[in-house]
């Protein structure tokens, strides 16, 4: 544990927020988990508990550590409940307007010394920081999904981020037994700047009829040694998230190579967002999942 950070507030109890709560509690921090309803917070804590049970089964965690870590996670019913946090990590939907609203409500209740981090996967850290009362104490800490499994965390400074904030963030992430990569504040940073256009290109390959869902995923798994195909990966990430990152790249870099594939737009408009909605490039209502085109 880092000496300056003891209590960590997390805004958002979804896939990313619950994963961040999991690794932070295991590392010995007190965690306060906030979402817009008690049901969502409880669902997030249940996810943490289930994922820890899986870690016990695979020998990565013991029962005592699991019990102690779960005891460190407290539900926060209001943002005011995060008032005594030393660090608050925002892990809400990848939507700039939602994030801005959260920071507007969060800043007035926090200790002036508290650090604020965002887990955004694509949005400008400088622009988000400017919405707060402490841009110098604001930083991007971008965890990879699924958080308990993935070793990498991107740290991104905004133009105003102070050295002390960066060092505190680095020490915090290292205490979680993660590996850090430092990215500059450009749209989508490093991982998604490279990964999302690849996924978008895979969707164009499907859209143009070059190959079927199965052919594209098999080609990349066996031809490029990827652990999962790009369309399967898109379904895992969420097609709405893939689309919003491509839009950030397209608008932020003004280059036509980042134009989201019309087929990706169509799937999102249909509500076929991937695994979380039961349908995306695969239909998860079948076992095993079957391609949808």
């Amino acid at each position: 544990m880092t000496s300056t950070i003891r209590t960590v507030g997390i805004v958002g109890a979804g896939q990313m927020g619950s994963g961040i709560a999991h690794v932070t509690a295991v590392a010995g921090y007190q965690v306060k988990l906030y979402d817009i309803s008690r049901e969502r917070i409880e669902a997030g804590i249940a996810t943490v508990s289930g994922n820890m049970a899986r870690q016990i089964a695979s020998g990565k965690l013991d029962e005592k550590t699991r019990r102690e870590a779960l005891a460190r996670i407290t539900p926060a019913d209001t943002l005011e409940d995060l008032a005594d946090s030393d660090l608050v990590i925002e892990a809400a939907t990848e939507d700039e307007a939602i994030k801005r609203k959260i920071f507007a409500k969060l800043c007035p209740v926090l200790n002036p010394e508290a650090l604020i981090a965002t887990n955004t996967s694509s949005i400008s850290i400088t622009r988000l920081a400017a919405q707060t009362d402490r841009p110098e104490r604001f930083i991007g800490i971008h965890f990879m999904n699924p958080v308990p499994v993935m070793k990498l965390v991107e740290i991104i400074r905004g133009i105003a981020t102070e050295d002390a904030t960066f060092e505190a963030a680095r020490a915090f992430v290292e205490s979680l037994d993660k590996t850090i990569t430092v990215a500059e504040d450009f749209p989508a940073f490093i991982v998604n700047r490279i990964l999302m256009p690849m996924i978008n290109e895979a969707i164009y390959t499907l859209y143009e009829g070059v190959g079927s869902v199965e052919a594209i995923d098999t080609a990349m798994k066996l031809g490029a040694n990827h652990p999962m195909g790009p369309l399967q990966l898109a379904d895992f990430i969420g097609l709405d998230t893939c689309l919003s990152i491509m839009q950030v790249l397209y608008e932020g870099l003004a280059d036509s190579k980042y134009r989201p594939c019309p087929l990706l737009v169509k799937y999102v408009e249909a509500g076929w967002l991937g695994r979380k909605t039961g349908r995306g490039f695969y239909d998860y209502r079948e076992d095993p999942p079957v391609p949808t085109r």
Side-chain angles (χ1 to χ4, degrees):
M1 249 196 302
T2 70
S3 55
T4 49
I5 298 170
R6 288 191 179 83
T7 301
V8 179
I10 297 169
V11 177
Q15 205 172 20
M16 295 306 293
S18 62
I20 297 165
H22 175 148
V23 297
T24 306
V26 168
Y29 296 91
Q30 294 299 319
V31 175
K32 296 190 170 186
L33 188 58
Y34 168 83
D35 210 311
I36 53 174
S37 72
R38 190 60 183 255
E39 292 73 38
R40 286 196 187 192
I41 300 167
E42 283 168 1
I45 293 171
T47 300
V48 173
S49 182
N51 288 338
M52 284 181 179
R54 268 197 285 283
Q55 285 185 322
I56 290 172
S58 62
K60 294 190 178 80
L61 206 65
D62 59 63
E63 181 55 40
K64 179 173 179 285
T65 309
R66 173 177 175 256
R67 268 200 320 272
E68 289 172 353
L70 281 172
R72 290 189 200 103
I73 303 175
T74 313
D77 292 311
T78 65
L79 286 172
E80 284 76 13
D81 292 339
L82 306 180
D84 61 349
S85 303
D86 304 305
L87 164 68
V88 174
I89 303 170
E90 170 274 312
T93 312
E94 192 65 356
D95 179 317
E96 190 167 340
I98 290 171
K99 292 180 188 297
R100 284 172 178 234
K101 278 183 195 153
I102 289 166
F103 296 134
K105 289 179 184 165
L106 177 67
C107 289
V109 305
L110 286 185
N111 175 333
E113 296 299 301
L115 303 178
I116 301 178
T118 174
N119 181 57
T120 181
S121 48
S122 62
I123 300 165
S124 163
I125 303 304
T126 298
R127 204 162 62 232
L128 290 175
Q131 301 304 307
T132 72
D133 59 358
R134 62 195 78 197
E136 67 290 340
R137 304 183 77 76
F138 189 98
I139 197 161
I141 302 180
H142 176 220
F143 291 83
M144 304 296 134
N145 185 26
V147 182
V149 176
M150 302 294 273
K151 288 293 286 182
L152 188 79
V153 175
E154 289 180 312
I155 294 188
I156 312 100
R157 302 174 74 141
I159 200 167
T161 309
E162 286 178 345
D163 289 347
T165 303
F166 175 77
E167 292 307 331
R170 179 199 284 275
F172 167 70
V173 173
E174 284 173 346
S175 76
L176 307 179
D177 193 28
K178 300 289 186 193
T179 301
I180 288 161
T181 187
V182 178
E184 290 299 316
D185 190 16
F186 282 92
F189 320 128
I190 296 171
V191 174
N192 283 322
R193 169 82 177 256
I194 298 166
L195 176 66
M196 283 302 159
M198 185 199 78
I199 286 175
N200 197 48
E201 197 59 35
I203 301 167
Y204 267 115
T205 308
L206 177 66
Y207 177 61
E208 291 167 9
V210 180
S212 65
V213 168
E214 219 155 2
I216 292 163
D217 277 355
T218 302
M220 292 308 287
K221 278 193 287 193
L222 303 184
N225 207 20
H226 289 192
M228 73 170 69
L231 301 173
Q232 187 189 357
L233 179 58
D235 276 356
F236 177 74
I237 292 165
L239 302 191
D240 51 341
T241 302
C242 294
L243 178 59
S244 43
I245 295 170
M246 285 312 299
Q247 284 166 334
V248 167
L249 277 166
Y250 187 44
E251 288 158 19
L253 298 168
D255 189 326
S256 61
K257 74 179 179 182
Y258 298 115
R259 184 171 76 97
C261 179
L263 185 60
L264 173 60
V265 176
K266 188 179 281 187
Y267 268 65
V268 172
E269 285 173 348
W272 292 19
L273 308 182
R275 202 176 283 208
K276 62 186 171 188
T277 57
R279 263 189 301 191
F281 292 110
Y282 292 86
D283 188 335
Y284 297 91
R285 297 169 305 174
E286 306 282 327
D287 188 23
V290 293
T292 51
R293 58 189 299 130

